[in-house]
Amino acid sequence: MTNPRPNEMTIEEAARALRAREISVRELWDACHSAAEEKNPELNAYLEIFKADDAAIESAQKRIYAGDAPLLCGIPLAMKDNILIEGKIASAASKMLENYKATYDATVVKKLKEAGALFLGRTNMDEFAMGSSTEHSAFGTTKNPHDESRVPGGSSGGSAAAVAAHMAIAALGSDTGGSVRQPAALTGIVGMKPTYGAVSRSGLIAMGSSLDQIGPLAKSVADVKIIFYTISGIDPLDSTTITENLYSRHESKEHLKIGVPRHLLTEGIEKDVLTTFEETLKKLEEAGHTLIDIELPTSGYALAAYYVIMPAEVSTNLARLDGMRYGLSKEGKTLLDDYVDSRTTGFGEETLRRILLGTFVLSSGYIDAYYHKAEKAREVLRKEYNDAFENVDVIAVPTTLSPAFKFGQKSDPVAMYLEDIFTITANMTGMPAISVPMGSVERDSKKLPVGIQFTAPHQAEDVLFAIGTAVERLQ
Amino acid sequence: MATTEEVQKLAALARIRIEDKELEKFTSEFDAILAYVGQLEKLDVSGEREMKPPLRNMMRLDSESNAVGANTEKMVEQFPASKNNALVVKQIISHD
């Protein structure tokens, strides 16, 4: 058996090879860095590839030699462009923050640095994490490594493409409505959105604050788990972070009860995606897990409620960007002109659309019909999921309705929004969810990966890792 | 149905400008999104109270703060315009 090239390794494989002294931290960095440099002109996964941090590489190597290094020590990672690394630009793929240099480290970055991880660069995304394809980036689209005429998904499309094309060992993304899981599914890797509050949002450029979570994108479930346990934990800088046992514990068992909401799978899903999903379930059943039909009647309203709550939070969060203290600044005749000119020049079309929508649903006269109603729908949804988890350990659906779509195929905003239909519920309920590759389907004689998504009760990430590993074993 | 005037008004509230040539497109997209979101009307939540999370103090206690000026340089560097470490903005109160 030949070893994979260093940049093709998983975190587990690289950590083992580093400890066995088969490769050095420098060799691992160089392999990832040169793969990134080589493939980026084609894929545009990175907005910026960093130069080697010699001190960090050397110190990681020393820790590995010393024998007590964490698994992420010396591992080169890609970071989504909305996560702050002190002294580096964090633009959220927006002209508004094109030249904004982070003045502090995000808590996740601080934790990764402490673990000895290395940063390869900042990855492309939809502007301010709004989109499902990277087509809303102000700096060009990222291409799907499996078929360059197709999107990598989004908004963390750059991170997903970087990992799938072995331009990084793993990556971080952020997930407000599916932005880690959907690109993971469309590029054939694993992606997880943790329980709301499990991972600190300090230093993540805010989109929808009640929905946002930072999550790992990696080549295996085991790698996702390693990153998750490194970046999670309570943080005084994010008052929404939760203690380890806030919710009642859900033990992971050898054989799990898998809830399948088949009533949600009757329309919209492409046939071969559904077939692949059913085959995967069947194999899981043969492996000893139990399938149980469940009903989640309010799920049909989840996306509508999401498109009220999310823009409301977006318009509030992005109000701070007005050309005054940092970011793009345009000078007009009056102070009001300064605001309006800076914001109109700095924000892209989708961002403007969601700011308008958010301003509308929060305006007096509409707030009850939209925002308050959506908040109630969210509560009903949360109860429905909690009730379902009385009888099942996880809930399974395909992560997306179809494999990666072509650039320009979803130019109508609502068509793009529907891309999130299966992923947003986890953000609405705050529950953790993982997307794991379940196989591939063929389009234009190219094999395109598709993913299966599992949702678990709050803080039951370990159950997700168990079922995710079970799916990996089927392949 | 949203009118172009309503979209203009929202834009003004949000401190953004929609150019005239884009106004119709924005208005029709806005309508399509509202039509989708409008499904919520059919959902009966009459039995549901809006849930407010139990209140608890999330503010940290006063403790040692950053040294004065520890982050000034980094932050001033991000200002679009600065003078003596202060942010330069337009005069908004006139003297006449």
Side-chain angles (χ1 to χ4, degrees):
Chain A
M1 196 179 98
T2 53
N3 279 332
R5 293 198 302 171
N7 59 307
E8 291 172 6
M9 289 177 174
T10 62
I11 295 172
E12 277 190 313
E13 288 164 349
R16 191 204 57 76
L18 286 169
R19 278 156 189 73
R21 309 204 175 180
E22 289 164 16
I23 49 165
S24 66
V25 174
R26 174 72 63 178
E27 284 165 345
L28 181 61
W29 167 272
D30 285 345
C32 292
H33 193 263
S34 56
E37 293 276 10
E38 184 194 323
K39 293 176 187 171
N40 208 50
E42 198 61 39
L43 296 177
N44 195 33
Y46 287 97
L47 292 176
E48 185 189 356
I49 300 171
F50 301 148
K51 289 200 180 74
D53 178 345
D54 295 333
I57 291 175
E58 208 171 296
S59 126
Q61 187 65 65
K62 271 191 197 146
R63 285 175 77 181
I64 288 167
Y65 283 152
D68 57 353
L71 284 172
L72 281 175
C73 190
I75 305 291
L77 304 174
M79 302 294 279
K80 191 175 181 179
D81 192 32
N82 60 353
I83 299 172
L84 307 195
I85 305 175
E86 189 179 342
K88 304 279 188 203
I89 287 174
S91 80
S94 176
K95 279 191 202 144
M96 180 60 94
L97 295 174
E98 189 171 5
N99 299 308
Y100 169 69
K101 247 188 216 165
T103 54
Y104 61 98
D105 277 335
T107 297
V108 293
V109 168
K110 209 166 144 256
K111 287 178 178 236
L112 289 172
K113 281 184 177 172
E114 279 162 12
L118 307 170
F119 304 110
L120 277 160
R122 51 191 181 92
T123 55
N124 197 17
M125 54 188 279
D126 290 287
E127 183 181 21
F128 289 106
M130 296 185 226
S132 308
S133 68
T134 71
E135 288 169 292
H136 296 310
S137 166
F139 308 113
T141 57
T142 296
K143 298 191 173 65
N144 192 316
H146 295 272
D147 177 350
E148 290 180 14
S149 68
R150 291 174 189 272
V151 305
S155 64
S156 314
S159 286
V163 176
H166 302 294
M167 301 155 78
I169 303 292
L172 285 193
S174 65
D175 190 315
T176 306
S179 282
V180 162
R181 293 160 285 154
Q182 182 255 12
L186 301 192
T187 56
I189 61 172
V190 185
M192 184 181 77
K193 182 203 84 77
T195 304
Y196 183 76
V199 177
S200 169
R201 292 177 293 112
S202 174
L204 169 70
I205 296 174
M207 177 187 160
S209 299
S210 77
L211 305 153
D212 295 343
Q213 270 294 284
I214 291 171
L217 296 111
K219 295 168 195 169
S220 71
V221 173
D223 282 7
V224 164
K225 184 175 175 177
I226 292 168
I227 295 177
F228 171 69
Y229 278 108
T230 307
I231 62 174
S232 60
I234 199 154
D235 178 12
L237 298 177
D238 175 0
S239 62
T240 61
T241 49
I242 54 178
T243 51
E244 256 170 55
N245 47 6
L246 183 68
Y247 296 95
S248 53
R249 240 185 110 61
H250 290 266
E251 294 292 339
S252 183
K253 288 159 278 185
E254 199 190 334
H255 296 301
L256 294 164
K257 284 183 276 185
I258 305 169
V260 189
R262 287 214 161 74
H263 66 104
L264 298 176
L265 310 178
T266 52
E267 54 182 325
I269 305 185
E270 294 187 1
K271 208 171 156 224
D272 47 2
V273 176
L274 192 57
T275 312
T276 313
F277 175 70
E278 291 294 353
E279 281 167 6
T280 307
L281 289 180
K282 197 160 167 270
K283 286 185 211 158
L284 285 170
E285 195 174 29
E286 285 161 10
H289 305 283
T290 314
L291 303 181
I292 298 172
D293 281 327
I294 57 165
E295 300 240 341
L296 300 162
T298 309
S299 282
Y301 295 99
L303 192 69
Y306 174 80
Y307 269 92
V308 172
I309 291 169
M310 178 274 295
E313 296 184 8
V314 162
S315 72
T316 311
N317 273 324
L318 297 189
R320 78 190 69 179
L321 296 165
D322 55 9
M324 290 293 117
R325 285 148 299 172
Y326 58 94
L328 184 84
S329 181
K330 289 275 170 194
E331 187 124 7
K333 267 193 215 136
T334 63
L335 182 66
L336 180 63
D337 289 338
D338 289 0
Y339 294 149
V340 173
D341 290 352
S342 300
R343 287 166 66 76
T344 304
T345 319
F347 291 138
E349 196 180 298
E350 180 63 19
T351 305
L352 292 176
R353 199 160 24 236
R354 296 201 196 183
I355 289 174
L356 277 184
L357 194 61
T359 309
F360 174 76
V361 297
L362 291 177
S363 58
S364 73
Y366 294 105
I367 192 164
D368 278 328
Y370 289 99
Y371 187 73
H372 290 153
K373 182 87 183 257
E375 276 294 319
K376 284 182 188 166
R378 188 176 190 179
E379 194 49 40
V380 176
L381 199 65
R382 202 177 285 136
K383 275 189 199 151
E384 235 169 65
Y385 268 73
N386 275 328
D387 289 347
F389 284 124
E390 296 286 320
N391 303 312
V392 300
D393 299 306
V394 290
I395 294 170
V397 288
T399 312
T400 58
L401 301 166
S402 66
F405 49 93
K406 294 210 161 177
F407 289 103
Q409 198 183 322
K410 303 204 172 178
S411 53
D412 159 37
V414 177
M416 186 72 89
Y417 299 169
L418 285 167
E419 188 65 13
D420 293 336
I421 196 142
F422 287 143
T423 47
I424 44 109
T425 41
N427 303 80
M428 293 290 276
T429 61
M431 289 162 182
I434 196 168
S435 174
V436 186
M438 65 172 176
S440 58
V441 296
E442 212 174 281
R443 296 287 180 280
D444 306 336
S445 65
K446 283 196 172 136
K447 276 192 166 182
L448 301 173
V450 283
I452 183 169
Q453 177 187 248
F454 298 96
T455 307
H458 292 108
Q459 286 188 308
E461 277 85 357
D462 280 338
V463 180
L464 293 182
F465 299 139
I467 192 73
T469 308
V471 172
E472 283 179 333
R473 279 198 209 113
L474 306 175
Q475 308 296 322
Chain B
M1 283 287 282
T3 62
T4 51
E5 288 76 24
E6 282 166 333
V7 172
Q8 289 281 39
K9 182 154 184 267
L10 284 172
L13 282 171
R15 303 285 186 260
I16 54 179
R17 188 174 46 241
I18 308 290
E19 308 294 346
D20 285 344
K21 59 180 189 323
E22 288 171 352
L23 193 59
E24 297 243 335
K25 180 173 163 261
F26 256 93
T27 308
S28 73
E29 283 170 350
F30 195 74
D31 259 337
I33 298 167
L34 283 188
Y36 183 80
V37 164
Q39 292 177 37
L40 275 178
E41 272 174 44
K42 286 180 277 171
L43 178 67
D44 180 18
V45 289
S46 49
E48 248 356 89
R49 295 187 297 121
E50 198 185 337
M51 289 294 286
K52 298 253 175 8
L55 294 177
R56 56 200 161 124
N57 181 19
M58 294 309 293
M59 296 299 179
R60 66 170 174 79
L61 297 175
D62 282 344
S63 61
E64 252 178 78
S65 182
N66 293 319
V68 174
N71 295 303
T72 307
E73 198 184 323
K74 278 189 285 186
M75 294 172 79
V76 172
E77 222 174 80
Q78 297 304 318
F79 289 171
S82 68
K83 195 175 170 185
N84 302 332
N85 277 350
L87 175 66
V88 174
V89 292
K90 274 202 171 68
Q91 186 178 327
I92 51 166
I93 300 168
S94 81
H95 291 299
D96 21 88

